[in-house]
Amino acid sequence: GAGVSQSPSNKVTEKGKDVELRCDPISGHTALYWYRQSLGQGLEFLIYFQGNSAPDKSGLPSDRFSAERTGGSVSTLTIQRTQQEDSAVYLCASSLGRLPLHFGNGTRLTVT
Amino acid sequence: QKEVEQDPGPLSVPEGAIVSLNCTYSNSAFQYFMWYRQYSRKGPELLMYTYSSGNKEDGRFTAQVDKSSKYISLFIRDSQPSDSATYLCAMRYAGGTSYGKLTFGQGTILTVHP
């Protein structure tokens, strides 16, 4: 596709369940980023991948959060034992160089 | 205190008005400054970015950076209803491996009335 694709667009889950969020970056983009946007908050950095380098995980809020990027393309963000405070829009972005970051439309996660 | 402060608004202006959006920041290590526009239920899209102090113009949009005051602005001339969106400032450090970490402001909600 022409842009960053994220799925699902909406996810409702019960507290304590695990969820997986998927991101398909723009073809050929070497860098991939995950951000989180909570109601009334700006975007919060979670993690980024650059080529074959070790990912920068410094923004992950707890060890319940993890992400992987397979084959330098698709990425999955996994949240284990979801909590209500995890409810947010999870945004993925990719870039060829350092800028610009091209964002997807996000996955809206609701934990009930 | 947040590293980047942005008035969330909301800001409401008539069509044709000049809009001024602003952010202040506390970390003098920020070197790259960006403005993103985000429509409802969409991802942010990059409008403009500048390096260090100065002005940059692109059509109806002008970005200004004043590093001495730790203050950045985005001006929109001849505002249109299609400019109605949330505007997010963002910034990052120069060099190293931190270029993936953008620090965002809270976002300002702008509505332009016909």
Side-chain angles (χ1 to χ4, degrees), chain B:
Chain B
Q1 182 186 6
K2 294 182 179 179
E3 280 192 292
V4 180
E5 298 280 356
Q6 183 176 7
D7 186 341
L11 185 61
S12 181
V13 301
E15 183 175 356
I18 296 174
V19 176
S20 173
L21 304 166
N22 311 292
C23 288
T24 59
Y25 62 96
S26 57
N27 193 333
S28 58
F30 287 129
Q31 295 285 341
Y32 287 88
F33 305 92
M34 287 142 273
W35 286 95
Y36 281 83
R37 177 175 63 195
Q38 185 176 24
Y39 292 113
S40 180
R41 296 189 173 267
K42 298 291 187 182
E45 58 178 326
L46 181 67
L47 279 177
M48 300 188 70
Y49 78 92
T50 57
Y51 173 71
S52 199
S53 287
N55 294 355
K56 186 173 183 178
E57 187 174 321
D58 184 2
R60 297 185 295 111
F61 299 89
T62 300
Q64 289 186 349
V65 174
D66 182 348
K67 291 194 68 184
S68 63
S69 301
K70 297 189 180 68
Y71 187 88
I72 68 171
S73 300
L74 178 71
F75 297 95
I76 307 174
R77 292 183 299 279
D78 187 25
S79 56
Q80 303 295 309
S82 58
D83 295 328
S84 298
T86 298
Y87 289 80
L88 298 150
C89 64
M91 47 198 78
R92 73 167 177 87
Y93 309 118
T97 57
S98 62
Y99 71 82
K101 297 180 188 179
L102 300 183
T103 302
F104 283 82
Q106 189 176 350
T108 299
I109 300 170
L110 171 67
T111 302
V112 181
H113 294 288

Side-chain angles (χ1 to χ4, degrees), chain A residues 66-82:
Chain A
S66 63
E68 63 177 19
R69 188 179 185 191
T70 54
S73 181
V74 171
S75 177
T76 302
L77 177 69
T78 301
I79 309 174
Q80 295 179 312
R81 305 181 302 282
T82 52

Side-chain angles (χ1 to χ4, degrees), chain A residues 22-95:
Chain A
R22 177 187 170 101
C23 173
D24 282 276
I26 294 172
S27 178
H29 280 192
T30 55
L32 186 146
Y33 318 79
W34 284 97
Y35 282 79
R36 177 168 72 174
Q37 186 171 31
S38 303
L39 187 64
Q41 301 294 317
L43 277 73
E44 173 191 13
F45 168 80
L46 296 177
I47 185 171
Y48 84 84
F49 301 85
Q50 171 58 49
N52 294 322
S53 302
D56 181 342
K57 305 179 181 180
S58 60
L60 295 178
S62 78
D63 58 8
R64 296 186 296 105
F65 288 73
S66 63
E68 63 177 19
R69 188 179 185 191
T70 54
S73 181
V74 171
S75 177
T76 302
L77 177 69
T78 301
I79 309 174
Q80 295 179 312
R81 305 181 302 282
T82 52
Q83 303 295 313
Q84 288 188 328
E85 60 263 29
D86 300 334
S87 296
V89 177
Y90 290 82
L91 290 158
C92 176
S94 69
S95 68

